[in-house]
């Protein structure tokens, strides 16, 4: 079965302003995010990517654009099922104010029970994304062979949930996974089991430098902004 390259979109204007963007339209890459996207073709230069599948949201479309420009023959497909989690009434709100919502504790400790008001549950998010991957695996293998490599550009919580699915982890453990903006995660699927061969690889160790203000241990909903 194919090898899947999961790319989280580059850093966005919502990431740097501390807003939970969700599916809010018009959220673009910021200057750093655009630079991250511009560097993606060189990072993936050695890989024979046969198809690109992307979330419909602007920040993902902008992330893959340099890769598509560098490889004019590469086909791109929009896949609604790997769009951002529908955070409903939380969309567009500041993460700092959401920390006081009782639901945030559920999102952190028991995400399989979390459902966003006016939006979807985290279980539904994982299910639709995993179903999309399995269908694309079959399609890519049928059209390009079992050793094919293809790319999906999606969002932090989506990628974390797909990693959990590949590892056989309960969704309640997915907040232990971290994927920074424009990081590369790779899952090689086989007949018996998936293999996680890269996780959140940015090629940059800046995010490992101790922060002046240590975090509180909560996972950033939506994926966070990455290294400062």
């Amino acid at each position: 079965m194919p090898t899947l390259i999961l790319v989280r979109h580059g850093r966005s204007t919502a990431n740097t302003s501390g807003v939970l963007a969700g599916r809010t339209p018009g959220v673009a890459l910021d200057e750093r995010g655009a630079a991250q996207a511009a560097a993606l073709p060189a990072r993936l230069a050695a890989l024979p990517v046969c198809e690109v599948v992307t979330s419909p949201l602007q920040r993902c479309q902008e992330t893959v654009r340099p890769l598509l420009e560098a490889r004019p023959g590469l086909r791109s497909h929009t896949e609604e099922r790997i769009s951002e989690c529908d955070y409903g009434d939380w969309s567009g709100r500041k993460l700092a104010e959401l920390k006081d919502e009782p639901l945030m504790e559920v999102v952190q400790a028991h995400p399989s029970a979390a459902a966003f008001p006016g939006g979807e549950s985290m279980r539904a998010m994982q299910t639709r994304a995993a179903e999309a991957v399995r269908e694309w695996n079959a399609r890519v293998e049928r059209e390009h062979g079992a050793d094919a490599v293809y790319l999906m550009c999606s969002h932090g919580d989506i990628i974390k949930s797909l990693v959990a699915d590949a590892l056989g982890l309960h969704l309640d453990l997915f907040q232990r996974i971290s994927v920074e903006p424009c990081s590369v995660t790779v899952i090689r699927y086989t007949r018996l089991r998936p293999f996680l061969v890269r996780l959140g690889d940015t090629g940059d160790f800046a995010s490992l430098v101790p922060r002046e203000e240590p975090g509180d241990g909560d996972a950033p909903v939506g994926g966070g902004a990455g290294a400062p």
Side-chain angles (χ1 to χ4, degrees):
M1 295 180 71
T3 295
L4 171 59
I5 302 169
L6 288 162
V7 176
R8 185 184 167 200
H9 62 79
R11 196 174 74 175
S12 73
T13 53
N15 293 146
T16 45
S17 61
V19 168
L20 184 62
R23 299 180 179 181
T24 306
V27 176
L29 299 183
D30 68 6
E31 185 177 350
R32 179 172 178 175
Q36 290 170 332
L40 195 59
R43 291 172 63 196
L44 302 178
L47 298 177
V49 178
C50 65
E51 304 278 354
V52 169
V53 184
T54 182
S55 158
L57 296 180
Q58 179 179 339
R59 52 197 184 273
C60 287
Q61 301 279 338
E62 290 179 351
T63 298
V64 300
R65 188 173 300 150
L67 178 64
L68 296 172
E69 291 173 351
R71 303 191 191 192
L74 190 56
R75 292 188 300 179
S76 179
H77 314 267
T78 298
E79 172 57 77
E80 296 283 346
R81 291 174 294 177
I82 62 168
S83 186
E84 178 66 285
C85 184
D86 184 355
Y87 297 117
D89 297 344
W90 278 26
S91 301
R93 293 179 61 187
K94 287 280 190 179
L95 288 165
E97 69 180 45
L98 290 171
K99 288 177 70 67
D100 296 327
E101 293 280 354
L103 178 60
M104 182 60 85
E105 185 177 7
V106 182
V107 170
Q108 292 294 325
H110 190 20
S112 65
F116 296 97
E120 70 178 334
S121 69
M122 301 197 94
R123 293 189 318 280
M125 173 198 74
Q126 182 186 44
T127 297
R128 63 173 166 82
E131 287 178 349
V133 165
R134 282 162 174 76
E135 289 182 19
W136 275 100
N137 282 348
R139 174 175 173 175
V140 168
E141 181 174 6
R142 187 168 59 248
E143 297 182 5
H144 300 279
D147 295 326
V149 177
Y150 75 108
L151 182 148
M152 280 188 169
C153 184
S154 189
H155 307 268
D157 282 348
I158 295 288
I159 294 173
K160 288 163 57 177
S161 74
L162 290 171
V163 170
D165 175 75
L167 292 176
L169 291 177
H170 197 283
L171 184 61
D172 285 347
L173 301 179
F174 101 126
Q175 297 291 28
R176 302 182 183 194
I177 299 166
S178 175
V179 289
E180 291 198 359
C182 222
S183 63
V184 172
T185 295
V186 182
I187 302 172
R188 180 174 294 127
Y189 289 87
T190 73
R191 185 174 63 86
L192 295 181
R193 64 184 62 84
F195 292 91
L196 178 65
V197 294
R198 291 288 188 281
L199 176 60
D201 189 343
T202 63
D204 179 0
F205 297 106
S207 63
L208 304 180
V209 176
R211 305 290 176 91
E212 292 184 6
E213 297 181 2
D216 55 12
D218 283 351
V221 181

